[in-house]
Amino acid sequence: MNIFISFSGVIRKEYAIQFMEFFNYYGLKVWYDHHELFLGDNLSECIINKGLNKSEYAVIIINKSFLERSWPCEEAKLLYKRFMTEHDITLFPILLDLTKEELKESELKDFLKIKYQFLKTGEAIENIGFQILNRIFYDLVAQKKINDLDRALAAYKRLTLMNNINIYNTLLLINSFANTDYKSKSVLLICIIGFFNKNPYDEIIKKISYKIYNNCHITFDIYKIIEAIFLINTNYLFYDTTFDS
């Protein structure tokens, strides 16, 4: 899972680095030009070949400075072209201090065809970060045979005689909670995940567990990340011989 961050240099410190540190904290690899380029590199060639073309996801932070500079716009156009023709990259447009109308009047108006998010100067990026993580884990689970809790419940019910009855009972309990009780459902799913011997996303679970311990608000996106990790582990238990991440 490689994430490319496209931005105008004036917001490097305030937002690009924040997104990079957020994704790195949760174990995802970010292509960031200050880390990946060497003195003497051809900037456009290296950014395209080392970053843009090898990433599966791209965060595009669009502000007025972005629209006023030629290279960020060219970079965004290349990303959009790949999104439309190759269909092998997911784009996350973020409108920073920018209105829909302002983007509509720019050369990047086609980005309005993609689900985008607004961000204002001074706002934290965490909620958007978790939305992006949720989408990434959704994509991972979509490739699996067991890709939702109903299928997981059916799978564990079939194998209740093989020491999975407690997992089955816990899933039934989770289904009894209110749809918006994300904290309670998250706690129980994390407890179930603890039963698995191998979990490639153990560090993510630990960090979310500390958020719950510190009484942080658990959003829909955070819960869905935990649910996805549970489903990935369930697929490993029933089908897979190795983890892929």
Side-chain angles (χ1 to χ4, degrees):
M1 295 178 287
N2 293 321
I3 303 175
F4 183 87
I5 301 180
S6 179
F7 61 96
S8 171
V10 296
I11 62 158
R12 180 185 301 276
K13 184 176 181 180
E14 187 174 7
Y15 285 106
I17 291 179
Q18 273 198 69
F19 274 106
M20 180 194 72
E21 291 178 343
F22 175 88
F23 294 127
N24 284 343
Y25 181 74
Y26 287 100
L28 277 67
K29 183 180 178 182
V30 177
W31 196 95
Y32 181 64
D33 58 11
H34 264 34
H35 293 172
E36 309 292 341
L37 297 179
F38 297 95
L39 186 65
D41 278 348
N42 180 305
L43 289 177
S44 60
E45 180 180 314
C46 288
I47 288 173
I48 292 171
N49 293 331
K50 292 183 179 180
L52 188 151
N53 286 341
K54 292 186 177 180
S55 297
E56 301 159 271
Y57 300 91
V59 178
I60 305 107
I61 310 171
I62 308 172
N63 63 348
K64 290 180 181 178
S65 174
F66 192 104
L67 295 176
E68 291 168 355
R69 299 191 177 190
S70 58
W71 173 247
C73 287
E74 288 305 310
E75 194 173 84
K77 290 176 186 176
L78 289 171
L79 286 166
Y80 188 80
K81 181 179 179 181
R82 182 179 159 198
F83 170 76
M84 292 298 294
T85 59
E86 303 297 329
H87 309 293
D88 61 352
I89 190 169
T90 300
L91 305 182
F92 303 108
I94 299 171
L95 278 57
L96 174 62
D97 297 328
L98 199 71
T99 66
K100 175 182 176 181
E101 288 70 28
E102 287 173 315
L103 186 61
K104 189 175 182 180
E105 296 301 318
S106 77
E107 58 185 309
L108 300 183
K109 59 182 180 295
D110 285 340
F111 276 87
L112 291 173
K113 299 175 183 178
I114 307 171
K115 183 173 174 56
Y116 53 88
Q117 185 60 275
F118 291 105
L119 186 64
K120 293 186 180 297
T121 296
E123 285 185 334
I125 60 95
E126 186 176 75
N127 284 340
I128 294 178
F130 279 122
Q131 288 178 44
I132 293 170
L133 280 185
N134 180 14
R135 172 54 194 265
I136 291 172
F137 276 97
Y138 170 85
D139 289 346
L140 287 173
V141 172
Q143 304 167 18
K144 304 295 183 180
K145 294 182 180 180
I146 299 175
N147 50 33
D148 59 49
L149 283 188
D150 287 338
R151 293 186 182 185
L153 194 64
Y156 284 110
K157 185 176 183 179
R158 289 197 304 270
L159 297 176
T160 52
L161 298 182
M162 297 177 62
N163 299 320
N164 292 304
I165 191 167
N166 287 331
I167 296 180
Y168 174 72
N169 289 337
T170 306
L171 289 177
L172 284 178
L173 182 60
I174 289 172
N175 279 344
S176 71
F177 289 140
N179 288 337
T180 56
D181 190 358
Y182 302 126
K183 179 175 286 188
S184 297
K185 295 198 287 187
S186 295
V187 168
L188 286 182
L189 275 184
I190 288 172
C191 289
I192 296 176
I193 292 170
F195 290 132
F196 296 109
N197 294 323
K198 298 178 181 178
N199 173 23
Y201 306 108
D202 186 57
E203 284 302 312
I204 297 179
I205 291 298
K206 286 180 181 177
K207 286 163 182 172
I208 293 177
S209 294
Y210 275 109
K211 290 183 70 68
I212 296 172
Y213 174 79
N214 290 319
N215 202 32
C216 296
H217 179 57
I218 302 303
T219 64
F220 167 80
D221 293 293
I222 294 174
Y223 166 69
K224 294 300 288 185
I225 292 165
I226 296 169
E227 182 182 293
I229 292 173
F230 164 74
L231 292 171
I232 290 168
N233 278 275
T234 292
N235 277 277
Y236 175 75
L237 182 66
F238 290 126
Y239 300 112
D240 299 342
T241 56
T242 59
F243 277 121
D244 53 357
S245 61

